[in-house]
Amino acid sequence: MRKQTRPPKPEILEQHGERWSRQWAELRAKNPSAGFQWYQAEGQTARDWCLPALKEMTQGHCAFCDAFPLEDRSKEPIEHFKPKSEPRFYADAFAWDNLYYCCERCQGSKGERWDDNLLRPDAADYSFERYFVFDYTTGEMKANPCAIPADQARAEITIRMYGLDTPQRRRCRSLELRQWQRSDERVLDDWAYRDFLDAGDDWKPEQQSVTF
Ligand SMILES: [Zn+2]
């Protein structure tokens, strides 16, 4: 989960965000099973108004696992961090700091769950090293064993909810690192799992007795 800086709130959310969130809350009050929709302004949905700035925030990568690219694979690339289906979070449905560019795999893993300890990649005090470590022999991502217990607990819940350390994730990270090391195309933003590649650059798989 790479550190991010959130761009300024899009003007359209400034103008309509609170009203849209209220509209969503009213709709759900009348019909608790009503499906979510991105309301429109000036001929475009709120989703399409927000996407450019959210993608800019992550350079087009998933905000949580750093997968790249997402565009063609993801039908709904915006994650509501605080779930929009929960009445206590209806007011955040169109809140700028509640929206993240996010892959289907991370969204599918987290679903509509919530935990107050989840980490935000754009929090001012967030850094990967504070909370997490990688194991380059396996692709594993785990809580930093040197972190204070409260930070370790936050890292663990974030890994679990977004599915950041499944066997598939480990394989994807390891494969990407091997390709990165062999490639001449070394523009980091064009690759998935940038933190893993960045810090794992000097790691030599041939020195290990691990097969992928
Ligand atoms: Zn993801």
Side-chain angles (χ1 to χ4, degrees), residues 62 64-67 102-103 106 169:
C62 173
F64 298 93
C65 72
D66 207 49
C102 182
C103 77
C106 286
R169 287 283 189 217

Side-chain angles (χ1 to χ4, degrees), residues 2 4 8 14 27 31 43 47 61 68 78 83 87 103 115 118 122 127-129 134 141 154 162 171 195 199 212:
R2 196 163 169 84
Q4 292 146 37
E14 199 73 69
L27 177 67
N31 175 10
R47 170 191 184 277
H61 293 62
F68 177 84
I78 297 184
C103 77
D115 190 295
L118 275 177
D122 56 327
S127 70
F128 182 90
E129 300 74 22
F134 286 126
M141 177 178 172
R154 297 191 71 186
Y162 282 102
R171 277 197 302 277
D195 280 338
F212 293 103

Side-chain angles (χ1 to χ4, degrees), residues 81-185:
F81 190 61
K82 295 180 176 175
K84 57 191 179 298
S85 63
E86 277 215 32
R88 61 181 164 148
F89 298 136
Y90 287 163
D92 295 293
F94 293 86
W96 178 230
D97 66 359
N98 196 41
L99 305 177
Y100 290 87
Y101 193 59
C102 182
C103 77
E104 280 182 341
R105 209 182 292 171
C106 286
Q107 290 191 60
S109 175
K110 174 165 166 284
E112 298 295 304
R113 294 180 294 164
W114 175 251
D115 190 295
D116 287 336
N117 285 314
L118 275 177
L119 291 167
R120 288 177 175 270
D122 56 327
D125 61 352
Y126 173 79
S127 70
F128 182 90
E129 300 74 22
R130 174 173 171 184
Y131 295 98
F132 302 106
V133 289
F134 286 126
D135 180 334
Y136 293 98
T137 60
T138 60
E140 184 182 2
M141 177 178 172
K142 57 187 174 187
N144 183 346
C146 301
I148 61 169
D151 286 354
Q152 287 191 43
R154 297 191 71 186
E156 280 162 11
I157 192 79
T158 303
I159 288 172
R160 209 159 50 239
M161 275 208 184
Y162 282 102
L164 300 178
D165 191 42
T166 60
Q168 190 182 17
R169 287 283 189 217
R170 294 182 188 184
R171 277 197 302 277
C172 288
R173 277 194 287 264
S174 297
L175 184 63
E176 193 81 345
L177 178 58
R178 284 205 303 174
Q179 290 175 343
W180 163 256
Q181 288 176 329
R182 289 171 185 167
S183 177
D184 297 328
E185 305 292 329

Side-chain angles (χ1 to χ4, degrees), residues 40-84:
Q40 290 204 18
E42 298 172 32
Q44 209 171 247
T45 62
R47 170 191 184 277
D48 291 338
W49 281 115
C50 291
L51 266 178
L54 290 176
K55 288 176 73 170
E56 176 194 328
M57 178 164 120
T58 61
Q59 297 76 46
H61 293 62
C62 173
F64 298 93
C65 72
D66 207 49
F68 177 84
L70 272 65
E71 228 157 351
D72 298 335
R73 300 179 196 163
S74 192
K75 291 189 206 83
E76 180 44 76
I78 297 184
E79 150 85 345
H80 285 83
F81 190 61
K82 295 180 176 175
K84 57 191 179 298

